[in-house]
Structure formats: structure tokens, C-alpha cells
Amino acid sequence: MKKIKLIVALLILIPLALSAQEERIDTVIPKFLSNGYFFREMPQLPDGEKTISRLKDKEGNSVVVINVNATLPKSVIRRAIPREQVHNADQFLNGLNVMATMTSLTQAGMKSDGTFYSPKEGEPFPAFSEKDIDGRIWTNDSIRGRVTVLNLWYSGCGPCRAEMPILSEWKEQFPGVMFFSATFHDTETTKRITEKHHFSWTHLVEAKDMMSWIGTEGFPLTIVIDKKGVVRHAVHGTSESKREELLAKIKEAEAE
């Protein structure tokens, strides 16, 4: 009886082992991502308007994103890596979707001459009505009579994330100034990112109209508004010198 039981046990274990081996798929880290397809080598893309950028997953692996405004031929698609074999494919594709959303929103305000509106020094700050991560609605009336600083960012902007702890120090340096950040992300995503990077400003979420101010100039966009509601300074991008200039403008506006 003991021998029979042993044989039965072996018969059960062998199929299970084969099943586990069959389900195992070796994953690869792609070098390129084009029109939703992953590649080990640079694909032979068709003619068309192209955009080039780079995406990283949470482990620091990166791919070059080359999107072309044309349909990829079947001969190119056949050389793509099957999605289920791509390491962290979902992370890369989610990043691609975020980039597509960002591009759509930032270029939504294109004028007939191909330019974009963005708040300029000396102009009244545009009318707005946006909610923060706690659900409170903020408008022009909310900031009337106060110096206000607004920083526009999104998750795919490395310089935006890098300067968040630095910007938080401004809030401590100027307790009388109102500091806002604005992004098109939802509350959950915004909380996760700002808490990770210790960004202590008041965060406006799903602020899609404000994203159109970016145009093709890039993130971040930081704006200083004086007590009269007039734009005192506005700058795209970030650097130590740009932050120093912003601080100087805040001090000037606060002193008046």
C-alpha cells in the first residue's frame, strides 16, 4: 500500500512542476518604445512627424520613446517584443499615457498663429476656479490682497520633482505668502508624489485649464502674483538662478 501511494504522489507532482515551468516567461528590458510597441533595437519607422522622449520605470530602467504620426507597418510590428515578455511593461505604458495626456492638455490652447497663451509679467492673473486635494475650491477672490506663488508640474517632469523639497522651504521663509502647486493629476496621484517629495504647498488637482499655459515651453511654470492680482514674474523651467530670481520677486511683492 505504501508503494502505491508514493507512485500516485509522484504522478501528481510531475504535472505541477511542468505546468510551473511552462508558465514561466523570461522578461526583457526594451530599448525603444514606439506607438505602443516595444523593441530591442531601433525600429525602421515610417515617414511622419516624430517626437522623442525617455521613460523610466520604478527600478530606474529607461526606454527611448519615439512616436511617429503614422501607422507602423506589419513588418515592423512583427519585430516587436511581445508585451507579456517586457519587464515592467505596464509601468512604461502608463508613463506613455501620462505623457500623451500632458501633451494634449498643454497644447490645447494653441492660437491660430501657432502660439500659446501664458501669464505674462504686468498682466492681471487670469480668472480661475480650481479644487485642492482636500476638495476646497480656490478662486481669484481667495488670493485677493495676498502675494501668491503658483507652480505648475506633472509627474513625468524630473526637475519638477527634484525642486519640490526646495520650494517647501519657501513656505517657511514667507509665512504671509500663499503657495500653490497645480497639476492635471488626480488627488490620489498628487498626494502620493507630493508626500514622497515632501512638497508642503497647497496642491490644486485636475487643473487642466492651467496646463494649457505650458504650451511648448515645458514644465515647471512658476508664477509670482502681487497683492493687486497682477503677475509680477513668470518663468518656464527651473534652475538655481531662476529660483533666486523668483525669490527676489516674492520679496519685492511682499514688501509693497
Side-chain angles (χ1 to χ4, degrees), residues 8-167:
V8 172
L10 287 172
L11 289 174
I12 293 172
L13 287 173
I14 289 172
L16 286 175
L18 290 174
S19 176
Q21 187 175 13
E22 289 172 356
E23 290 179 359
R24 184 177 64 82
I25 298 176
D26 290 328
T27 58
V28 297
I29 299 173
K31 293 182 179 179
F32 298 92
L33 173 57
S34 180
N35 292 37
Y37 294 95
F38 295 96
F39 299 90
R40 288 183 174 87
E41 304 297 336
M42 175 69 177
Q44 195 72 30
L45 299 175
D47 293 335
E49 183 178 348
K50 296 180 177 66
T51 59
I52 302 176
S53 55
R54 185 176 289 274
L55 283 175
K56 287 186 177 181
D57 64 11
K58 293 179 180 179
E59 298 171 13
N61 303 310
S62 66
V63 296
V64 176
V65 180
I66 307 175
N67 282 329
V68 58
N69 188 23
T71 302
L72 296 187
K74 292 182 179 179
S75 59
V76 174
I77 294 175
R78 279 196 294 267
R79 300 186 64 182
I81 308 170
R83 190 171 297 177
E84 61 272 15
Q85 293 182 18
V86 175
H87 186 66
N88 289 338
D90 290 343
Q91 290 185 34
F92 287 124
L93 291 173
N94 180 64
L96 189 64
N97 289 333
V98 170
M99 287 177 59
T101 299
M102 181 273 293
T103 301
S104 175
L105 292 173
T106 56
Q107 298 189 16
M110 181 183 290
K111 300 178 183 179
S112 58
D113 61 358
T115 61
F116 295 87
Y117 168 77
S118 185
K120 299 291 190 301
E121 183 176 334
E123 297 178 351
F125 187 71
F128 74 99
S129 178
E130 304 290 352
K131 68 176 180 178
D132 65 21
I133 57 177
D134 296 317
R136 177 177 175 178
I137 302 298
W138 296 85
T139 67
N140 299 71
D141 288 337
S142 306
I143 64 173
R144 196 177 305 279
R146 302 277 298 276
V147 175
T148 303
V149 182
L150 176 68
N151 176 263
L152 275 61
W153 62 276
Y154 92 105
S155 62
C157 171
C160 298
R161 300 191 305 272
E163 74 169 356
M164 287 178 177
I166 300 173
L167 298 184

Side-chain angles (χ1 to χ4, degrees), residues 203-221:
H203 305 297
L204 306 179
V205 296
E206 300 178 18
K208 297 180 179 180
D209 290 341
M210 288 182 171
M211 297 301 106
S212 67
W213 300 344
I214 298 296
T216 57
E217 297 296 320
F219 287 88
L221 167 60

